[in-house]
Structures are given as structure tokens and as C-alpha cells.
Amino acid sequence: MSPEAKRLKVSGIVALVVGCACVVSGIVLAVLGVDITDLFVVAASVVALLVGARGARVANVPSHAPRLMGPSAGATLATGALCAGDVAFANGQVAPIVVGAVAFVVALLVTIATSAVKRSVEKV
């Protein structure tokens, strides 16, 4: 396994674990006080979780990385948009913004690692 594929595997697993933790914290935030930002947090976390799962699977077969690049970039943009929604509707709440930002960062890490694997595959 190439170093780029290893980074994709690790970032995918990290995104998977952190995405699960963010989903749980989003649900806890929703239970404590239902707000639109809590739904944004849960949606962004689910997207980050799915990107992490796909990234960890694609790392096993690096030649599939070009097919993951589009969905991964789209999921990162969607997570960023949901985080922007958190910021816009937070009304002074910090927790939804932090959890949403964490979900965005892990989705971005998977996208960057996917890009590196795609470049290494296309170079060969």
C-alpha cells in the first residue's frame, strides 16, 4: 500500500469515528433543545461519516480514487454549506458551530487524501 493510500485509509477511519461522535453529539444537542442548527450538525456529521467510510474502502483499491474524488468534493462542499448554516442560525450557540466545523475538517481531510491518491494513481 502506498503512503498516499495509507493516509487515505487513516483519514477515512478518523472521519468515520469522528463522524459517529459528531452524530451522537448532534443528537444530544437536538434532545437538549431542538433548533435548526442541531439538524444541520447531524446532517453534516452523517455526510462526514459517509465520506470517511467510502475513503477507507477506496484506500484498499487505489485505482478507484478518481471515482471518489467527485463525491468527496461534493460532500465536503455540502458539509461546508451546512456549517455556514450553523453559523448563520446559531443565535449565540457555540457547540453546534464547533461540532459542524469538526465534521467539515474531517471531510476536507478525506478529500485532500483522495486527491493525493488520485494524483499518484494517474502518475503511474
Side-chain angles (χ1 to χ4, degrees):
M1 185 178 281
S2 70
E4 293 87 5
K6 286 180 185 177
R7 275 188 234 117
L8 177 58
K9 184 75 157 183
V10 170
S11 65
I13 291 171
V14 167
L16 186 63
V17 171
V18 171
C20 287
C22 289
V23 167
V24 169
S25 39
I27 291 171
V28 167
L29 287 172
V31 167
L32 293 177
V34 177
D35 192 8
I36 190 73
T37 57
D38 303 332
L39 301 176
F40 287 162
V41 166
V42 172
S45 302
V46 168
V47 169
L49 183 141
L50 294 175
V51 167
R54 293 265 325 257
R57 290 188 63 209
V58 165
N60 294 329
V61 185
S63 62
H64 292 223
R67 285 191 273 168
L68 178 63
M69 192 60 212
S72 178
T76 302
L77 287 174
T79 305
L82 289 167
C83 288
D86 281 341
V87 172
F89 298 113
N91 295 332
Q93 299 175 354
V94 177
I97 295 172
V98 171
V99 175
V102 168
F104 173 72
V105 167
V106 295
L108 183 63
L109 286 175
V110 172
T111 302
I112 291 170
T114 302
S115 174
V117 171
K118 179 184 171 194
R119 275 185 272 130
S120 72
V121 167
E122 290 175 347
K123 194 184 326 181
V124 172

